[in-house]
Amino acid sequence: MKTTETPAPIPAEPGVTLTVPGTPAGKPPRRGREGTVLNVFSHGMLVLWAFMVVMPLLWAVMTSFKDDSSIFTSPWSLPDKLHLDNWARAWTDANMSDYFLNTVLVVGGSLVGTLVLGSMAAYVLARFDFPGNRFIYFLFIGGMSFPIMLALVPLFYVVNNMGLLNTIHGLILVYIAYSLPFTVFFLTAFFRSLPTSVAEAAFVDGASHTRTFFQIMLPMAKPGLISVGIFNFLGQWNQYMLPTVLNTDPDKRVLTQGLVQLATSQGYKGDWSGLFAGLVMAMLPVLAAYIVFQRQVVQGLTAGALK
């Protein structure tokens, strides 16, 4: 019978603990329980935050189908029936249809102009080195930190001297100028994260800078364009200060001005059910845009952050 000799133990270095096979290891750190507690706490905070955000929206939608007496007597109960006349009254009598059309024209024109001009400026700043590149880039960043309230008075006189006061196209130009700093800042970082080999291959094949930008680089930047477009759409759709100062014509009011007019036109005898119906009308396009493009928004944010 052969016997197996037990090898001599290997001397351990000072300060190093060796674990012998077959012996119970030391207790692992209590990370499992701490991770569970942290996970429960984070999920609880998310649920609480979702409740605080969703409940006012659901309450506004529910209230838009009530009559005025039910809004004050039973504000938290479901409507006894769907009062669709609230929506019809807000759409026709309160001129929400005209305000909605004006808002679509202003936001649509300014959004297209902002994305086109902002993407072109961001592409040049991200891809080409020229004297003053960083200076121009920091000028756009400085525009983000400049309070719009300080520019209202000179902006009013500039727009008035140009003959664009109380006009749709004048408001579009102001919205574009207001949104360009953030758009250029966001898209510059995004264009820097795109691979340069594709553009270099296009140049080798004889493509011009214009063709390379519009046919190659711009489609590659689609996630970033959608992300910054959603942010600009939210800000421009809910803009109230600029149209209040630069758009005093009642026929050219936008939705935010129309809602304020609907709330204050009759004083304490205001049409509350019609007001909530108009409020939901103003919220629906924003919610629909985010629901449709939420995946692209997340992709654009992560793609711009990773290289």
Side-chain angles (χ1 to χ4, degrees), residues 102-285:
N102 294 336
T103 306
V104 169
L105 293 176
V106 172
V107 175
S110 61
L111 194 60
V112 172
T114 301
L115 292 180
V116 172
L117 297 177
S119 61
M120 294 171 66
Y123 176 74
V124 172
L125 293 175
R127 293 294 182 176
F128 299 96
D129 291 329
F130 56 90
N133 182 302
R134 302 301 296 173
F135 177 73
I136 297 175
Y137 176 72
F138 286 120
L139 278 181
F140 281 107
I141 296 180
M144 294 174 55
S145 61
F146 190 80
I148 190 61
M149 291 179 291
L150 298 180
L152 288 178
V153 175
L155 184 62
F156 175 85
Y157 285 105
V158 169
V159 175
N160 188 28
N161 293 333
M162 295 176 63
L164 300 176
L165 196 64
N166 297 328
T167 59
I168 296 296
H169 51 283
L171 203 57
I172 290 175
L173 292 178
V174 173
Y175 276 21
I176 292 175
Y178 172 76
S179 305
L180 269 181
F182 171 73
T183 304
V184 173
F185 170 75
F186 186 93
L187 291 180
T188 300
F190 193 88
F191 278 116
R192 286 174 181 169
S193 66
L194 297 179
T196 59
S197 58
V198 180
E200 293 174 354
F203 291 142
V204 172
D205 292 340
S208 62
H209 289 287
T210 303
R211 186 175 182 181
T212 302
F213 172 72
F214 283 104
Q215 295 188 0
I216 297 177
M217 302 305 296
L218 203 60
M220 293 176 61
K222 181 180 177 181
L225 291 174
I226 293 178
S227 299
V228 75
I230 291 295
F231 291 134
N232 285 327
F233 175 75
L234 294 176
Q236 294 174 4
W237 187 272
N238 297 322
Q239 182 61 242
Y240 175 71
M241 187 177 301
L242 288 177
T244 300
V245 176
L246 305 175
N247 186 28
T248 57
D249 188 354
D251 296 332
K252 294 182 176 62
R253 286 174 178 165
V254 295
L255 270 176
T256 51
Q257 294 175 287
L259 290 175
V260 173
Q261 177 66 22
L262 182 60
T264 60
S265 59
Q266 298 180 6
Y268 293 102
K269 297 181 180 179
D271 187 3
W272 296 103
S273 56
L275 175 62
F276 277 100
L279 179 64
V280 176
M281 289 179 188
M283 291 191 306
L284 285 179

